[in-house]
Amino acid sequence: MRLGFFTYPWDLLDEGPEAAVEAMAGQFGCNAIALNANYHHARLLRPRAVGPKTLQLPGAVAAFQPQANLYPDDSLMPVPEPGLVEAGVLARARETSAREGLDFGLWTVGLHNSTLGERNRHLCMVNCFGDCYTYSMCPSHEPVRALLRGIIRDLCDQFQPDRIIQEAVGYLGMRHWVHHELFFAAWDEALELLLSLCFCPACEKRAGAVGLDVAELRRNVADWAERLLHHERGNLPPSFAQSHVTSLLAEIPDLSGYLAVRACSVTELVAGLSSTAAQQGTSLDLIPASFQRPVSRAWLEGAHLGQLSEASDSLLIPAYYDSADQVAADLEWVAWLAPNSTLVAGLNACDPAVGSAAGIAAQAQACTEASCQGIYYYNYGLLAPDRLIWVAQANREVGGR
């Protein structure tokens, strides 16, 4: 079983890539690493950092120097972070991982990229009202697919990873928690669905090609979204919100068909990425949804778990909960929907998701009982020292080093 951390390259740079990877292998019982190579805009609190404790990225950044010939054009290629590139963090981590016997995975965030989205608004999601979500490029656009294939080719050519861990391949919703995001409307699953549907030209063309009346559907979706935004329905029990979605799926013509079309778009993208990885001699672990949890809500990002399990080598499920029972239930749901899938789990070792060494050990045990082939703990640079020790104890209990 693979056991490792999700890890950011700037944390390795601070500690020294060699020292950090050696500590993972020697002190914390890891035999794998998921090292980020391409990330979105973020502001992070790093408890163990020496000196300033917060880090704010200038935008979506890459830890490598992209090879321009692998990308559609100069406006649609990763933006390198000079300090990470000059220090050679990825290459040094790769060399140390090989020496220490760690499975070397490069974790890349795909469509969630505000920097490239702002430069290429025509390739981003557009909701029923015409709002452009520049933090979410749309998987239906071929140049966007070419970008993600280029990243995989680039990483494989430069760093020869044992696997690519691919995140953010679907449709992100309107509620994204960007800087000073102010949403004071009553919100439920129905509004989440309606404002997560993309009506960009590429999505509309794909839906029209299978006979859906896209113009009428868009009008209906906008009418319902307007109605829910304008009329607060009070403090209703959860059963009302849950039934709203079911009712809309049954009542709005072509809505379920539109969801099927966008799921096919995501699956086609992933199949192309898997093929690209295979051509480079590596495998693709897929994180099917970035924000929607439990995994039964992954469809809101366009994820069809059964299709995606066939299109990728493994499904990596971020089972970020506060109990082992919830972890087990989430993994079980995937196993039921995608019985032939190879499962890998992500566990959140940060506060407040888990409160004790016993808690993280119980969650790791739930992963082994679900026949997971790997566990990655979130996140090396975000954990206080005691929590690193908790992870080490959990690894020992499930058979690590």
Side-chain angles (χ1 to χ4, degrees), residues 117-164:
E118 289 287 351
R119 295 179 182 178
N120 298 274
R121 297 174 69 92
H122 63 293
L123 299 177
C124 293
M125 283 183 63
V126 177
N127 72 12
C128 58
F129 298 118
D131 302 313
C132 179
Y133 298 169
T134 55
Y135 52 82
S136 182
M137 291 185 290
C138 177
S140 292
H141 289 284
E142 176 51 35
V144 171
R145 298 180 178 189
L147 164 68
L148 269 59
R149 293 194 302 268
I151 291 172
I152 290 177
R153 284 196 297 268
D154 212 345
L155 293 176
C156 290
D157 181 57
Q158 294 192 52
F159 307 108
Q160 301 81 49
D162 295 302
R163 67 193 66 253
I164 296 292

